[in-house]
Amino acid sequence: MLSVAHSRRRRRRLEWAVLTAVLLGLVAWLSTPESLGRVNHLVQDAGLRLVSRPPHPDIVLVAIDDPSIAAIGRWPWRRALHAELIARMSAQGPRVIGMDVLFNEADLDYPEDDLLLTEAIRRSGRVVLPVLRRGHGPTSNATDLPWPAFAQAAADLGHVHVAPDGDGVVRSLFLREGPATAPWPHFSMAMQCVAQARQPGATPCSRPPAHTGDAAPWERADHTLIAYAGGPSQFTTHSYIDVLRGVVPADAFRGKYVLVGAAASGLGDMFATPVSQQSRLMPGVEVVAHVLDARLSDEQIVPASRMLNTLFNLVPVAAALLALLLIGPLAALLTSAGLALATLLLSVCLPWWAGLQFAPAAAFLGLVLAYPLWSWRRLSAAAHFLRLEMENLQRQGLSMRLRKRPGDSADFLERRINAVERASRQLRDLHHFVSESLQQLPSPSIVCDPEGQVLLANRAAHEHLGGDAQAPLQGQSVVDLLADLVHGGTRQPLITQEHLRNRSLPEHSEGHDAQGRSLLVQCKPFTDLANAGWLLTLVDLTDMRRALQQRDQAMNFISHDIRAPNASILTLLEMQRAYPGRMSDEEMMLRIERYAQASLGMAENFVQLASAQAQEYRMAPLDLVALLAETTDDLWALARDRQVEVRTTATPETAPCQGDRALLSRALANVINNAIKFSPEGRVVECAIAARGVHWVLSVRDQGPGIAPELQGQLFTPYQRLHNRSHPSIQGVGLGLALVFTVVQRHGGSLEVDSDTGRGAEFRLVLPRSEGAPEGGHTG
């Protein structure tokens, strides 16, 4: 069954991979701005209309509008009027004047007007004139320049061409256009250059040489999108005739970028733009104003590169396909809708946030196709699965009728679902668990469903987890029951809801519970016709792990601590052979004796600890007062050498106790020996015995350096040497107090420590009193 599920899952992933490859390939192919251009322009133009900014306050238009035509007469006008206009505007001190009017020939009727206009342009020193490409064919390379006298008097020249898209809408232009040897800057760039050149210390604008022939091919460079500030009539505009009549404010043009151009009906170029409303066209001079506005506002929009545009379209489609694979149908549908909305918002906002314009139509197409295509494949897979399940149930001998029954829907998928539902009902009737055999298992065993709810638990599990007849384990969560069972290294729970649901529990795992027990958890998933779940078995490894730990400690002790003195002896002998006479025989013998004594002492401590842990104690009546006296007598010589006094301060006349005399004597000797070794010269080690309820308390206090509270938990752990840094000269392997702890514990007592850094230490051996002993005792 697992192999069938795995095969089905692999087939689903293969179908998803094929659909993903085809759909992403289609999206990548259609990710060019030219593909699906109408949809791309619809989204891009909506973004330009929705996200607009106020026009730059320093841009002013002087429109050759219908009122001006009505007042002056039909176009073209005498150039003396243009000269008067330039003079009146220059008198107010504008930054630059852009005359978007082509004067490419001399006025043969009024030659004196050309002189007036030339002089007005020269006196102003801030007039920019346009240049045009003559003709529009691919081989047309000639340039229409202003009449030479005007061109020489002008501050700069610039082209006024735009780049309409296939639908005739002006969305972009080329900042440089003209002969390949010296292309002209755009009219807005020329105006900006003249305005900057008039600043003190600025460099004059460089003008390309005048080319009127077609020797050099026409070239266009620096393609950029027009960042429109809004729709038509956004900028401050004055009528041409009003300027001539002097009815405009006296400071209307002071410090402004002034553009003069045609806006009357049927006069000059009129363009459709993305921000045009109700089919209203925008005059060419106003398009130039929008380009200048974007440059002054430092707003630049460029088309995204082919690679960026492809990634922009692929990412939401890939995310939607992943959602279809990983989450449910409704969530995937909502995710796809959210991704489409996010793609739309980014397409609208990124031109203003990052200066990049994307073509999102391919992403929309991919998002629209992903959900229905995948749903079609899933529906086909579901119908195929139901058909196979019905055939399997028939082969297993269940009475199933595939033909239509009264009341069944005409839909073939619903009929198959109803048939499978009837089969499931029969299977539930046949389902049962064999619980008695589970109850006989010696190890705690729990059967739970995929969600972790306990279905069955044997008696061993009740005893292990503390359940009883009044509080059965059935229905409880196995995750909560085993919450304290954690991994020894990571301290993470071994049984989690996620592991159960994902069926990812390891077959064997080991951990520790809150009681310090080491437990092996054996997990086995099962499927029983209509039910699925887990069989969990707990095996207590505490004793085995403790024995292994002791073995490892013993091996480490034997391989390192005991070998070290013997290795030192061998080193001394080799040095003596290699360099005879360098060390006296007496000194060498003393060193060998010291190393041998150290090795012997460590071996003896190890054997004594092992005996204390494993051997059977020879319990017999004894007197702790006499035992204390014998021990202090045995250590008198050591105390004298260390110049430490061992004093018994208070004891009863007798302190009867049941115990192993040899082991208790050794434990007491270890405690007093430590007190002597860590006491400074001239200090006193105080020993006492007192009664505490049904126990005797045998205390040993020294005046040594003391033990920090955070280290006291390690005192009785074998092979722990806490004095390596504070007292490196005092030898030991960390077995003395471990032996004391083991002996006292096996006698039914406890070992207490009262110490702190700098105030000495007091060890108290609390041992049970013999039955019949008096509650109190006389001290002496």
Side-chain angles (χ1 to χ4, degrees):
M1 183 169 292
L2 290 177
S3 62
V4 173
H6 177 72
S7 175
R8 189 164 57 247
R9 187 162 53 249
R10 184 173 57 185
R11 179 182 178 85
R12 180 170 66 96
R13 291 178 178 175
L14 178 61
E15 289 185 359
W16 178 84
V18 171
L19 175 63
T20 299
V22 172
L23 202 55
L24 292 182
L26 177 65
V27 170
W29 180 54
L30 296 175
S31 290
T32 59
E34 296 79 15
S35 303
L36 306 174
R38 182 169 297 182
V39 178
N40 286 323
H41 290 157
L42 182 65
V43 175
Q44 295 163 354
D45 295 351
L48 291 176
R49 287 193 294 269
L50 292 174
V51 185
S52 61
R53 64 183 187 278
H56 200 284
D58 292 340
I59 298 178
V60 177
L61 300 184
V62 175
I64 304 174
D65 53 7
D66 292 329
S68 300
I69 295 290
I72 299 174
R74 69 186 184 91
W75 186 266
W77 298 332
R78 291 186 56 177
R79 292 177 178 174
L81 295 175
H82 300 309
E84 178 65 17
L85 180 79
I86 292 174
R88 287 180 176 273
M89 292 189 299
S90 299
Q92 292 191 12
R95 294 187 183 182
V96 63
I97 300 173
M99 292 292 296
D100 188 12
V101 180
L102 184 63
F103 304 107
N104 60 337
E105 295 178 350
D107 190 344
L108 299 180
D109 295 332
Y110 303 97
E112 66 277 7
D113 286 5
D114 288 344
L115 297 177
L116 291 175
L117 181 57
T118 301
E119 183 63 17
I121 294 174
R122 184 186 61 77
R123 286 184 178 180
S124 176
R126 68 195 81 193
V127 178
V128 178
L129 297 178
V131 296
L132 291 174
R133 182 182 184 183
R134 188 182 306 155
H136 300 284
T139 60
S140 178
N141 301 326
T143 307
D144 273 338
L145 295 171
W147 190 53
F150 299 154
Q152 186 176 3
D156 203 355
L157 306 178
H159 79 84
V160 290
H161 295 290
V162 293
D165 290 325
D167 56 358
V169 178
V170 174
R171 299 181 177 88
S172 63
L173 53 80
F174 292 90
L175 294 179
R176 296 193 178 275
E177 247 188 78
T181 54
W184 300 97
H186 187 260
F187 199 75
S188 63
M189 295 176 63
M191 292 183 65
Q192 196 174 13
C193 179
V194 170
Q196 294 173 352
R198 294 184 60 82
Q199 300 295 326
T203 304
C205 298
S206 61
R207 182 188 304 180
H211 291 277
T212 58
D214 54 359
W218 193 270
E219 188 178 83
R220 302 194 297 180
D222 297 338
H223 183 249
T224 185
L225 298 170
I226 302 175
Y228 288 96
S233 304
Q234 291 291 310
F235 298 97
T236 302
T237 304
H238 300 287
S239 178
Y240 191 102
I241 189 63
D242 289 343
V243 178
L244 289 181
R245 291 172 176 172
V247 298
V248 297
D251 59 349
F253 306 116
R254 182 170 291 112
K256 307 295 185 181
Y257 294 80
V258 183
L259 273 164
V260 182
S265 303
L267 183 64
D269 294 328
M270 304 293 285
F271 301 105
T273 66
V275 295
S276 299
Q277 298 177 356
Q278 299 177 353
S279 302
R280 183 179 178 185
L281 301 181
M282 183 179 291
V285 66
E286 194 168 346
V287 173
V288 175
H290 280 282
V291 179
L292 179 61
D293 178 280
R295 295 187 62 82
L296 294 178
S297 303
D298 198 22
E299 295 285 350
Q300 183 180 11
I301 303 176
V302 296
S305 66
R306 174 69 180 268
M307 183 179 68
L308 277 179
N309 206 63
T310 302
L311 287 176
F312 181 82
N313 285 281
L314 288 178
V315 167
V317 178
L321 289 168
L322 280 174
L324 290 171
L325 177 67
L326 300 177
I327 59 180
L330 177 59
L333 179 61
L334 295 177
T335 301
S336 299
L339 288 169
L341 179 60
T343 303
L344 178 62
L345 292 177
L346 286 175
S347 302
V348 170
C349 298
L350 279 177
W352 306 105
W353 291 347
L356 289 174
Q357 187 179 74
F358 291 91
F364 294 144
L365 179 63
L367 291 171
V368 168
L369 292 177
Y371 190 84
L373 288 176
W374 182 246
S375 298
W376 163 62
R377 290 310 310 149
R378 290 293 83 216
L379 184 61
S380 298
H384 178 70
F385 168 75
L386 291 177
R387 181 178 62 82
L388 292 180
E389 286 298 305
M390 296 297 296
E391 293 175 356
N392 289 334
L393 292 174
Q394 285 183 320
R395 282 195 295 268
Q396 292 173 8
L398 292 177
S399 176
M400 301 301 302
R401 292 182 176 87
L402 296 177
R403 64 177 183 270
K404 184 176 179 182
R405 297 179 55 174
D408 282 350
S409 170
D411 182 66
F412 80 98
L413 181 61
E414 186 174 350
R415 289 202 307 272
R416 290 181 177 176
I417 292 175
N418 292 335
V420 172
E421 183 182 4
R422 289 190 291 270
S424 299
R425 193 178 303 117
Q426 294 183 31
L427 292 174
R428 283 194 297 270
D429 293 338
L430 298 175
H431 171 69
H432 66 276
F433 289 99
V434 184
S435 59
E436 280 303 319
S437 58
L438 182 67
Q439 293 294 335
Q440 305 304 320
L441 294 177
S443 298
S445 300
I446 301 173
V447 177
C448 63
D449 63 14
E451 299 297 322
Q453 297 297 317
V454 176
L455 303 175
L456 287 176
N458 63 359
R459 283 186 288 271
H462 280 79
E463 295 173 359
H464 180 85
L465 298 173
D468 51 35
Q470 285 72 30
L473 300 180
Q474 281 76 4
Q476 299 188 46
S477 172
V478 72
V479 177
D480 297 336
L481 293 172
L482 301 178
D484 64 336
L485 186 56
V486 297
H487 190 276
T490 63
R491 308 302 299 174
Q492 297 296 319
L494 292 182
I495 310 296
T496 64
Q497 202 73 41
E498 182 180 1
H499 289 154
L500 291 171
R501 289 175 178 172
N502 298 336
R503 301 179 69 83
S504 58
L505 282 174
E507 188 172 353
H508 300 283
S509 56
E510 186 175 343
H512 302 277
D513 63 6
Q515 302 178 33
R517 294 176 294 189
S518 180
L519 299 173
L520 174 67
V521 183
Q522 297 176 324
C523 306
K524 188 68 176 178
F526 68 88
T527 301
D528 176 24
L529 294 180
N531 292 283
W534 290 92
L535 174 61
L536 306 179
T537 303
L538 308 179
V539 181
D540 195 342
L541 303 179
T542 306
D543 294 337
M544 184 182 73
R545 291 301 179 201
R546 186 180 294 118
L548 290 175
Q549 182 181 9
Q550 292 175 353
R551 184 202 65 181
D552 293 341
Q553 291 175 345
M555 293 301 297
N556 180 70
F557 173 71
I558 294 172
S559 62
H560 180 267
D561 294 85
I562 292 183
R563 289 177 58 187
N566 296 328
S568 300
I569 293 173
L570 292 175
T571 302
L572 283 174
L573 293 175
E574 290 176 1
M575 288 179 57
Q576 186 66 16
R577 293 192 190 99
Y579 307 101
R582 178 168 294 184
M583 181 187 299
S584 66
D585 292 344
E586 183 179 357
E587 183 180 356
M588 185 181 69
M589 294 302 292
L590 287 175
R591 290 192 179 185
I592 291 175
E593 181 182 5
R594 186 168 66 252
Y595 289 140
Q597 289 289 354
S599 177
L600 182 61
M602 285 187 286
E604 184 179 355
N605 287 337
F606 175 75
V607 171
Q608 288 176 349
L609 177 60
S611 299
Q613 291 174 338
Q615 77 176 14
E616 183 178 354
Y617 283 20
R618 300 177 180 178
M619 308 298 285
L622 58 86
D623 184 6
L624 291 179
V625 176
L627 186 66
L628 176 61
E630 293 173 4
T631 305
T632 54
D633 289 344
D634 293 340
L635 295 173
W636 176 82
L638 175 64
R640 181 196 60 190
D641 294 342
R642 304 279 299 187
Q643 299 183 20
V644 173
E645 179 184 355
V646 179
R647 180 187 304 165
T648 301
T649 58
T651 62
E653 293 182 1
T654 60
C657 177
Q658 286 285 122
D660 189 312
R661 187 180 188 85
L663 288 175
L664 282 176
S665 176
R666 182 62 184 176
L668 184 57
N670 284 354
V671 175
I672 299 176
N673 189 12
N674 281 349
I676 294 173
K677 287 193 298 183
F678 287 97
S679 293
E681 294 182 358
R683 298 299 177 92
V684 177
V685 173
E686 298 179 347
C687 304
I689 299 177
R692 182 197 293 172
V694 296
H695 294 86
W696 294 112
V697 180
L698 198 161
S699 61
V700 178
R701 168 170 286 280
D702 62 46
Q703 299 175 353
I707 305 166
E710 63 270 15
L711 298 178
Q712 293 178 14
Q714 308 174 37
L715 276 174
F716 311 125
T717 303
Y719 312 106
Q720 292 290 326
R721 301 179 62 187
L722 306 182
H723 59 271
N724 279 342
R725 294 185 179 179
S726 60
H727 294 75
S729 59
I730 300 178
Q731 297 183 354
V733 293
L735 296 178
L737 290 179
L739 182 140
V740 176
F741 181 79
T742 301
V743 170
V744 172
Q745 195 175 48
R746 290 199 61 182
H747 276 82
S750 60
L751 185 57
E752 300 174 355
V753 182
D754 182 10
S755 179
D756 203 349
T757 305
R759 65 177 187 87
E762 180 178 351
F763 287 84
R764 293 187 288 268
L765 284 68
V766 182
L767 297 168
R769 300 167 63 174
S770 295
E771 294 184 4
E775 290 293 325
H778 300 286
T779 60

